[in-house]
Amino acid sequence: MTPLITANQLEEIINSGENVLLCDCRFDLADPQAGRKAYEENHMLGAIYVDLDHDLSGPTNGTNGRHPLPSPEAWAQTKTRLGINPNTLVVAYDKQGSVYASRLWWMLKATGHANVRVLDGGLDAWNGPMGTVPRKPTPANQPIAPMPYFGLVLVDEMVSNLQSKKNIVIDARSSDRYHGQNETLDPVGGHIPGAINHFFKGNLSATAFKSPENLYKDFLGLLGSSKASEVIHSCGSGVTACHNLLAMEVAGLKGSRLYAGSWSEWCANPDRPIEL
């Protein structure tokens, strides 16, 4: 099943009466309240709001990155509270090129919820009904059981990879931040030594994803003879990295993994090397 869904496909599914949970994931790293405010003003009819900071991240401690994953137990509780029943089709969207929707997609997929799609083109592609009254989530029928994150890479493996070079690390940040320039989000600039750069916006044509064929060509140029399963995605805090991972899935390159701590965790320890 492709991880993307078009606006027309989604409207047909909604009109058919199928159980669909629309998740508005709009967010702004520079203004964390902007996404919720935008949702409260206008959103896809029936959508709930899913917040990057409060729903899709766990507590920060100064060393685990800006958006650490919640524990499997905490994430299971959040899924229960949001009403993500095991058989529910979840469709995530935002207005930032599907960056934050990709984070929700990965977190669900990585913990066993396969029935999740990202609205291709996001809110800009939607011509269906809109609402202005926020919807309070209806909790799941029964508690969701915790599951570990499949495909998650921890910092110790990233350190080991510096020597073994078993895996290709793809950094999703913009070229200037990758090169340690114009860094405004993290206290240290640069990238993990050996990582290669593929800015997530390169996956898009306007607000929608490029065709699977074009994405395949783009990533094949990065991978060379390496397998998709030998790719680890990184970024600033484990968000835009999910966009590259999603794009590879769209291209049919399945099995890559996520270093969720990403640069903000890596650079928190001065003993870890950096590259400019």
Side-chain angles (χ1 to χ4, degrees):
M1 182 177 71
T2 173
L4 300 178
I5 188 169
T6 67
N8 288 340
Q9 290 170 334
L10 176 57
E11 195 160 19
E12 288 179 9
I13 290 173
I14 292 173
N15 292 337
S16 74
E18 182 176 338
N19 182 22
V20 181
L21 180 63
L22 302 175
C23 294
D24 188 316
C25 301
R26 282 176 285 178
F27 197 81
D28 185 341
L29 294 175
D31 183 2
Q33 298 303 316
R36 183 177 293 276
K37 290 177 182 176
Y39 166 79
E40 291 172 350
E41 292 172 2
N42 204 14
H43 52 264
M44 290 173 62
L45 186 65
I48 62 170
Y49 184 67
V50 179
D51 188 281
L52 172 64
D53 280 347
H54 300 293
D55 298 318
L56 304 182
S57 302
T60 59
N61 59 22
T63 63
N64 61 349
R66 286 183 281 107
H67 294 106
L69 291 173
S71 69
E73 293 75 18
W75 178 227
Q77 291 173 3
T78 296
K79 288 191 286 185
T80 301
R81 175 175 54 81
L82 295 178
I84 301 177
N85 290 291
N87 296 324
T88 300
L89 169 60
V90 178
V91 176
Y93 74 89
D94 59 39
K95 200 176 169 64
Q96 289 82 24
S98 299
V99 168
Y100 305 104
S102 297
R103 168 84 167 205
L104 174 58
W105 167 83
W106 184 87
M107 289 176 63
L108 287 176
K109 184 172 175 289
T111 53
H113 192 101
N115 200 16
V116 54
R117 315 279 282 278
V118 170
L119 177 60
D120 196 17
L123 195 57
D124 291 325
W126 182 248
N127 292 315
M130 301 289 289
T132 57
V133 178
R135 175 189 165 193
K136 186 177 180 180
T138 302
N141 298 328
Q142 56 187 14
I144 306 298
M147 287 186 65
Y149 294 99
F150 180 79
L152 174 64
V153 176
L154 302 179
V155 68
D156 288 346
E157 183 175 349
M158 298 298 294
V159 172
S160 298
N161 193 62
L162 293 177
Q163 300 299 325
S164 69
K165 295 180 171 58
K166 289 171 56 178
N167 299 285
I168 295 175
V169 179
I170 298 179
D171 190 321
R173 294 175 298 166
S174 60
S175 177
D176 57 344
R177 290 187 64 210
Y178 167 81
H179 286 102
Q181 303 161 359
N182 304 319
E183 181 58 71
T184 59
L185 295 171
D186 294 309
V188 180
H191 59 265
I192 299 169
I196 57 179
N197 187 215
H198 178 72
F199 189 25
F200 77 91
K201 287 187 178 179
N203 301 324
L204 301 173
S205 176
T207 60
F209 280 84
K210 293 179 179 177
S211 70
E213 295 77 16
N214 285 338
L215 290 172
Y216 182 83
K217 291 177 183 177
D218 290 346
F219 281 99
L220 204 62
L222 297 174
L223 270 60
S225 60
S226 298
K227 302 175 183 176
S229 59
E230 296 171 328
V231 173
I232 298 174
H233 295 279
S234 178
C235 58
S237 63
V239 179
T240 58
C242 295
H243 198 277
N244 276 349
L245 201 152
L246 173 62
M248 282 187 62
E249 293 265 343
V250 172
L253 298 167
K254 301 179 183 297
S256 60
R257 298 184 293 158
L258 173 70
Y259 170 39
S262 286
W263 179 249
S264 56
E265 177 183 55
W266 183 268
C267 73
N269 185 337
D271 293 333
R272 296 183 191 124
I274 66 172
E275 193 168 87
L276 297 173

